[in-house]
Amino acid sequence: MIHHHPEKARLFVLDDERAHWHDKALWFVRVKRDRAAATVPEWEGLRTAAEGIKVHTLSRLAEYLEEFERKATANGIQVHWARDGEEHNRIVHGILEKRGVQRMVKSKSMLTEECHLNPYLEARGIEVVDTDLGERIVQLAGEPPSHIVMPAIHRKKEEIGELFHEKLGTPRGLSDPTLLTERARAHLREKFLKAEAGLTGVNFAIAETGGFVVVTNEGNADMGTTLPPVHIASMGIEKVIPRLADLGIFLRLLARSATGQPVSSYTTHFHSPLPGGELHLVIVDNGRSEMLSEAHRRKALCCIRCGACLNTCPVYRRSGGYSYSYLIPGPIGSVLGPHRDLAGHASLPFASSLCGSCTDVCPVKVDLHHQLLALRQEAGEEKLLPFGKRMGMKMASFAMARPALFRAGGKFARWILRVAPGLARVGPGAVWLRGRELPEPPTETFADLYDREMATRPEVKS
Amino acid sequence: MSAREAILSALRASGAAPVAAPAHPAPVQQGDPVARFLESVKGVGGHPYRVADDAALVAAVAALPVWSAPRRASLVPGIDGTVDLEAVDDPHALADLDVAAIPGEVAVAENGAVWVKGESLGPHRAVFVIPEHLVLVVRAADVVNDMQAAYGRITLPRPGYGLFISGPSKTADIEQSLVIGAHGARSCAVFVVG
Amino acid sequence: MAKVGLFIPCYVDQFFPRVGLATLRVLRGLGLEVEYPRDQTCCGQPMFNTGCSQEARPLAERFVRLFSGYEAVVAPSASCVAMVKLQYPGLVGDTPEVRALASRTFDLSEYLVDVVKVTRVDGEFRKKVGLHRSCHGIRELRESRSSERMDAPFDKTRQLVSQLRGIELVELERADECCGFGGTFAVTEEAVSCMMGRDRIADHVRAGAEVIAGYDMSCLMHLDGLARRDGTKLPIVHVAEMLEKARLSR
């Protein structure tokens, strides 16, 4: 598992033109984020407040969830609880089956990806149509999303055109985004009108008011919840926030961080079912309470799924979502995946140069790169590192603790590089030399230069 | 033990020490809210208009090219539509609605958003998302600087419903090319009255 | 005890000794009493970043013993300094001794600006320079404002070198994108590491840089290795070397 990301990333990078295209596309979103953030003088104050609200909420999560449930129930929302993904799927299926639903539309929810809801329902004869355009594209292609906000960012418009030609009957060779979107609009409109239920995620659940907020640019969550009489919303336990006024903080940060827009087109506050309809909310744990119980894992639960860390990550941009073993890629995925299953995602904490850009864009100030470094220590302790690497580090540590050994080793290495540079082509040297030259090996060390300097210029200049 | 009890007791046992909630930073007032709102509406792909009073509003809406389409619904007093929403049983029947005019309660200068409370939507919530075009109307006195101020002003009855609408429906999911008119309205005209 | 303990990272001692010499000269040129503890080897960062805290700990403990007596510890390397300042309390122990050492350990640029309070740099460097701001310097030591944050801009290194006569600091497209060295990342994720480095070089070349300057030889070593392999003429220089012949004053 430790080689998973590097091996996939190598293949991604091999297609140089495409890797640069992907990198530029995501960098562009980062630039838009910067421009949007720069228009808000209080930006850093908002980040601090958002972090504080989330940390506060997590410190009293049971209380807030209970308050939320009480008030949501008073609003006519039916609240369900699920320990894990399997239970979530059973509950959702139960609601649909009771009402004879065979066609459901779904707006974006990474939680439902985590629970593998689509295949569960499809195996039971229910058609599930993902209605976010990016999600629909990857659904038609039979792929997972490669980004949590822009699921099809890895696909060029010509490829989408080809896909639509095959699945939706658009003319061969059509690749204009406006025309492709037009076709998708017509296709999905049919699905909205025929849907018997709509399922959404939850961006924020408000304890004070007993309602929840869903945010989209396309209006797909709204088409899916104002037409069919049954609305099911799936949320992770960490989505609750204390007060309505707290949305003033989060909504000033969310869209700017995600896409560089000042706000999304639709920010819908659900506080009651449709007249004559039903509104169900499924609250899901699936490992979150366990993360909460470990102090060093807790911070990652603050995440509001904006995707800014993906866009800013120089490694994600150059390796793509499919290089990551966890369903959520990029920095946050490289923290969440290993928190759940370190052995299963052992390459992820190392799929980073620890540059820290992710930490500085995160609207809730999750210290992502420090979490990655801490996960590396865990990986070391659990002996998940390859034998060669561990041995190499043990030997280096042994040598470095003994100055005479260090000096002798360094002298030897420099001598080898001068007289027989080919011998450097072993282990890490060989890997380095694939794409880079090694530094020119000097004949003297700093210690030598220091001695000479202090001897020739003993007086301090002032 | 029920899932509810299992989850809540796991959370209670999590050992997270209580941390106080932080104060919210005071937003910086940035210029004349109405002028900024009109700029922001443009920025989010909407069409902003300023009119002096209700009479001017009625005339201006009537002059909109989208308002000459056959199937029009209005929830704005003084603006007449051709479709009586109360007479429609099923929101699916609104699928061919060309345009809807809806009143907003609060408008947000920093992002061009308009808060529409549930009661303003009439009998069918779908009326804001199903038509091809949207017309929103707000009062100049109801324009605030930012979202934090907006949450101090909006009405959200419980049980209830409401939403912020900012410009038309849009997507950039195909190679980051911005396309206006994904599933909701293809255009959004926003009138500020007063 | 001398005022300043000179901390020369292991790879600088062995492969870029001139950078150490330049650092020594800059500090002594300010009238400071500088000493180089002979028995220093490595701060433990390569082991720690690989997840081998067990192997890093003895080296960190050694370092604390070797350097505790100085008024200040200065290194021409932001990443090694970040290791001491930010990771040593967790690794070695959050004791008063460790915390004191952490608070007195500095990268050269921050030492000159924050402690010595250098405001004037009288010297020359007649080149078009691309300033490579390494990640540890920006986002761990906060030597300059990261492009992600919306605070008021500041840049300690730029403050110093921009005063050199004849220098032209070029504007990069991505002011502080990571070069891709990342320690063992350079080897374990070689493909991405090299692509990142080449993209940095291309940015500098497009911006018209004749030289890449920085304060971390690890980043510069990686960029230089790539440039020489690809036949791109873009020599590297450490900030200490740029300031070596200048007169610095408060």
Side-chain angles (χ1 to χ4, degrees), chain A residues 5 20 317 357 377 400 436, chain C residues 41 53 148 177 186 189 199:
Chain A
H5 183 277
H20 277 101
R317 284 199 303 269
S357 183
Q377 309 315 321
M400 294 300 195
R436 293 164 282 214
Chain C
T41 54
S53 334
E148 296 86 3
E177 188 187 34
E189 291 266 2
D199 288 347

Side-chain angles (χ1 to χ4, degrees), chain A residues 176-218:
Chain A
D176 177 82
T178 304
L179 296 174
L180 290 172
T181 305
E182 186 65 43
R183 178 69 192 100
R185 178 192 175 95
H187 158 71
L188 285 166
R189 206 163 167 91
E190 253 185 71
K191 299 291 184 186
F192 287 126
L193 290 168
K194 292 209 177 91
E196 296 156 319
L199 188 140
T200 68
V202 165
N203 289 90
F204 303 98
I206 311 141
E208 181 189 34
T209 59
F212 60 92
V213 172
V214 181
V215 158
T216 72
N217 273 320
E218 298 177 20

Side-chain angles (χ1 to χ4, degrees), chain B residues 15-194:
Chain B
V19 176
H24 291 188
V28 170
Q29 303 302 310
Q30 292 197 63
D32 168 37
V34 175
R36 199 159 157 242
F37 174 72
L38 296 168
E39 268 309 302
S40 294
V41 168
K42 231 189 298 182
V44 297
H47 300 294
Y49 300 88
R50 182 128 188 224
V51 292
D53 51 36
D54 286 328
L57 171 70
V58 175
V61 172
L64 286 176
V66 297
W67 203 255
S68 59
R71 292 183 52 76
R72 318 186 285 273
S74 171
L75 291 143
V76 179
I79 298 179
D80 295 323
T82 57
V83 174
D84 177 9
L85 292 167
E86 298 289 342
V88 174
D89 278 332
D90 178 354
H92 292 77
L94 298 173
D96 58 358
L97 198 59
D98 293 307
V99 57
I102 301 172
E105 189 183 27
V106 178
V108 188
E110 70 168 329
N111 56 25
V114 174
W115 172 260
V116 176
K117 60 186 176 183
E119 300 94 316
S120 304
L121 293 169
H124 304 294
R125 290 179 187 174
V127 73
F128 74 84
V129 68
I130 205 169
E132 296 292 291
H133 304 281
L134 202 56
V135 174
L136 299 173
V137 178
V138 290
R139 307 273 136 197
D142 293 331
V143 181
V144 299
N145 185 66
D146 55 78
M147 290 299 267
Q148 289 168 250
Y151 276 100
R153 292 272 295 261
I154 64 169
T155 309
L156 180 60
R158 283 106 74 174
Y161 180 84
L163 78 153
F164 284 104
I165 302 177
S166 175
S169 153
K170 50 186 90 82
T171 182
D173 272 333
I174 299 179
E175 279 216 41
Q176 283 297 291
S177 293
L178 182 65
V179 177
I180 305 284
H183 306 300
R186 298 169 185 277
S187 80
C188 182
V190 183
F191 287 85
V192 178
V193 183

Side-chain angles (χ1 to χ4, degrees), chain C residues 15-31:
Chain C
F15 286 96
F16 303 103
R18 283 229 71 260
V19 171
L21 183 62
T23 307
L24 176 69
R25 286 178 173 164
V26 167
L27 293 170
R28 295 186 84 216
L30 284 160

Side-chain angles (χ1 to χ4, degrees), chain C residues 159-171:
Chain C
Q159 222 176 294
L160 296 167
V161 302
S162 61
Q163 293 185 56
L164 293 164
R165 284 187 304 281
I167 197 170
E168 192 189 316
L169 291 167
V170 303
E171 285 307 310

